[in-house]
Amino acid sequence: MENNEIYMDEAIQLAIDGVTAGKGGPFGAIVVKDGKIIGRGNNSVTSTDDPTAHAEVMAIREACRNLKSFQLNGCVLYTSCEPCPMCLGAIYWSRVDKVYYSASRHMASYHGFDDSFIYDEVNLPFEKRKIPFIQVLGDKGVVPFREWDKKDNRIDY
C-alpha cells in the first residue's frame, strides 16, 4: 500500500475511534513530517465544549507543540474529510505544504455536517450576514498595530 493510503487510513481510524469513544463528530487528521506522524487529532467538539476542536485543528496544535513552532513548513496534513472553512484557515495559517482528504464536504453535508452556510456568509457584505458584524472604535483599532510595528523583538509570521 502506498504511504498516502497508509496515512489516510490512520486519519480515518482516528475519526472512527473518536466516534466510538464519544469524543465528537466523525473526523480525524494527522500531520506528517519526513515520514513521521507528528500530530494526531480527532473531532472533540462535543466532549470539550469547544467549537474549534476540529480534527485538523487538534492535529495542527499537537504538531506545532511537538515541533515547538507555530509553522508547519515541510509537513503534510491527512484528513478524513475535506476541511471546513475554519480548518481551511488554520491550514493556511500553519503553512503545511499539502493536504490530502478522503470524504468530500458534500458527503459530510449528506450526513448532517453542512458548512455551506459559512461559505455563503463569507461572500456577503457585513450588513447582510446572519450574525451582524458592527465596527466600534475603528480609529482606535490601529493602536495595537502601531505598537506591533514599534516592537523590535517581535516574531513575524
Side-chain angles (χ1 to χ4, degrees):
M1 190 169 8
E2 188 178 314
N3 281 347
N4 288 335
E5 293 173 358
I6 292 169
Y7 294 136
M8 188 58 72
D9 274 342
E10 176 76 17
I12 292 169
Q13 190 59 53
L14 279 169
I16 294 167
D17 293 346
V19 169
T20 303
K23 287 188 169 187
F27 306 96
I30 63 171
V31 176
V32 176
K33 182 172 179 119
D34 300 327
K36 181 181 176 199
I37 297 173
I38 60 165
R40 289 179 170 80
N42 58 288
N43 183 288
S44 301
V45 168
T46 57
S47 62
T48 63
D49 296 324
D50 179 355
T52 69
H54 288 201
E56 297 89 340
V57 171
M58 302 300 278
I60 288 168
R61 288 174 181 167
E62 184 174 280
C64 287
R65 276 193 307 272
N66 286 334
L67 290 179
K68 295 179 179 28
S69 174
F70 56 85
Q71 294 184 346
L72 296 176
N73 305 92
C75 296
V76 177
L77 178 81
Y78 292 83
T79 179
S80 64
C81 187
E82 183 179 349
C84 76
M86 179 187 69
C87 292
L88 186 63
I91 288 164
Y92 274 91
W93 278 114
S94 74
R95 293 175 173 83
V96 297
D97 289 358
K98 191 179 291 189
V99 176
Y100 292 95
Y101 68 93
S102 184
S104 72
R105 67 181 180 190
H106 307 292
M107 179 62 66
S109 177
Y110 177 80
H111 290 278
F113 297 90
D114 186 5
D115 300 324
S116 62
F117 75 97
I118 298 173
Y119 288 104
D120 294 342
E121 288 282 302
V122 166
N123 292 319
L124 292 175
F126 289 152
E127 64 274 4
K128 292 192 177 188
R129 291 183 180 175
K130 300 228 184 308
I131 297 175
F133 280 65
I134 303 158
Q135 188 175 26
V136 177
L137 296 177
D139 55 333
K140 281 188 161 183
V142 71
V143 174
F145 292 104
R146 288 181 181 149
E147 289 301 312
W148 174 257
D149 289 341
K150 290 190 292 190
K151 188 172 175 65
D152 291 331
N153 62 344
R154 71 178 185 232
I155 300 172
D156 290 324
Y157 58 99

